[in-house]
Amino acid sequence: MLLEGKRGLILGVANKRSIAWGIAQSVAREGAQLALTYQGDRLKENVEELAQNLDRPLLLPCDVTRDEDLDALGDSLRKEWGGLDFVVHSVAFALREELDGEFANTSREGYRIAQDISSYSLTALCRRTVPLMQERGGGSVVALSYLGGERVVPHYNVMGVAKAALEMSVRYLASDLGPKGIRVNAISAGPIKTLAASGVHGLSKMLEYHRTHAPLRKNTEQAEVGDTALYLVSPLSRGVTGEVIHVDGGFHVMGMAAL
Ligand code: NAD
């Protein structure tokens, strides 16, 4: 088993459709012991129910906008485990009204919220978990991104700008943390129907467009992202850091689909 004896923290399970849940299933299958977080009491029950499918995971609350939650998360992991081998950041949020119409109309508060939750939180999380990974002689961090952070995608708007910042954070973090033996990478996933994605106006058209134009002619599956995350947190990717891997059926290579 690739992750026998490894301990990982996963943020972002909201329900069974969550990409974070796909990742949890992939890494648990290879023997990893997990800590899952939930964002407030509203989602606690969902995560508790899903956790019954895993081998006694730690369940911890964490709202990434609250420094006290992030501090408490780090403290709990130190108390329970003493160290950590990998961290998965699968968290994003933007106000619904910012994911429709023109990016040019983005409000100051909408911009701040998207950046805080979807981008800065990765750095904030690393600040709390790097010492724990150092206890284990190194580690791996994986974040989730989307093509809308590289190119303009209708309605993705402020979230695209947050993903651009997230991907650049991955590179700066990879540079800072590499000497400590910690790798930092992102997966840029194709569109998947999840709770967060449902906030983007026109999601079903987007899924249809992707299915008909991606080289693999299919939509991205949760388990495909899960298995790439498994690769990134396992020793198989030990030479890889600062990378953004597209798991999108090849959609991002297309300039024009047909003439
Ligand atoms: P999801 O709704 O299942 O997961 C989003 C998670 O973010 C939820 O668990 C939610 O609780 C969490 N979250 C939001 N605000 C938070 C806060 N303040 N504190 C803590 N957690 C908070 O949707 P998903 O599609 O699985 O999203 C996971 C990641 O994948 C996100 O980064 C998203 O941008 C990215 N992504 C999704 C798609 C897609 O099409 N679904 C494609 C590419 C990338």
Side-chain angles (χ1 to χ4, degrees), residues 5 13 15-16 18 20 24 34-35 45 55 106 114 146-147 153 161 164 168 173 176 201 220 222-223 232 236 241 246:
V13 178
N15 57 39
K16 67 176 185 343
S18 295
L34 295 179
E45 233 173 86
D55 182 21
T106 303
Y146 175 61
L147 186 65
V153 172
V161 176
M168 207 57 221
L173 289 166
D176 285 352
H201 187 80
T220 301
Q222 189 191 29
L232 284 173
L236 293 179
T241 194
H246 294 83

Side-chain angles (χ1 to χ4, degrees), residues 155-233:
H155 310 301
Y156 203 62
N157 296 359
V158 74
M159 187 57 88
V161 176
K163 289 301 189 194
L166 178 75
E167 291 186 13
M168 207 57 221
S169 304
V170 163
R171 299 183 186 103
Y172 275 96
L173 289 166
S175 168
D176 285 352
L177 304 181
K180 302 182 198 312
I182 298 169
R183 300 182 292 108
V184 187
N185 294 286
I187 297 172
S188 182
I192 302 177
K193 197 172 183 335
T194 61
L195 197 62
S198 306
V200 182
H201 187 80
L203 177 70
S204 31
K205 278 195 187 152
M206 209 173 185
L207 288 166
E208 159 87 27
Y209 188 87
H210 190 97
R211 199 161 51 236
T212 49
H213 293 84
L216 293 182
R217 296 287 191 276
K218 63 196 272 299
N219 280 129
T220 301
E221 292 166 21
Q222 189 191 29
E224 295 170 349
V225 182
D227 285 352
T228 300
L230 164 63
Y231 157 75
L232 284 173
V233 304

Side-chain angles (χ1 to χ4, degrees), residues 12 18-19 39 43 62-64 90-92 145 163 189 191-192 194-196:
S18 295
I19 290 175
Q39 181 201 1
L43 294 174
C62 185
D63 181 327
V64 297
S90 187
V91 168
S145 192
K163 289 301 189 194
I192 302 177
T194 61
L195 197 62

Side-chain angles (χ1 to χ4, degrees), residues 59 66 107 213:
L59 300 184
R66 295 164 52 93
S107 68
H213 293 84

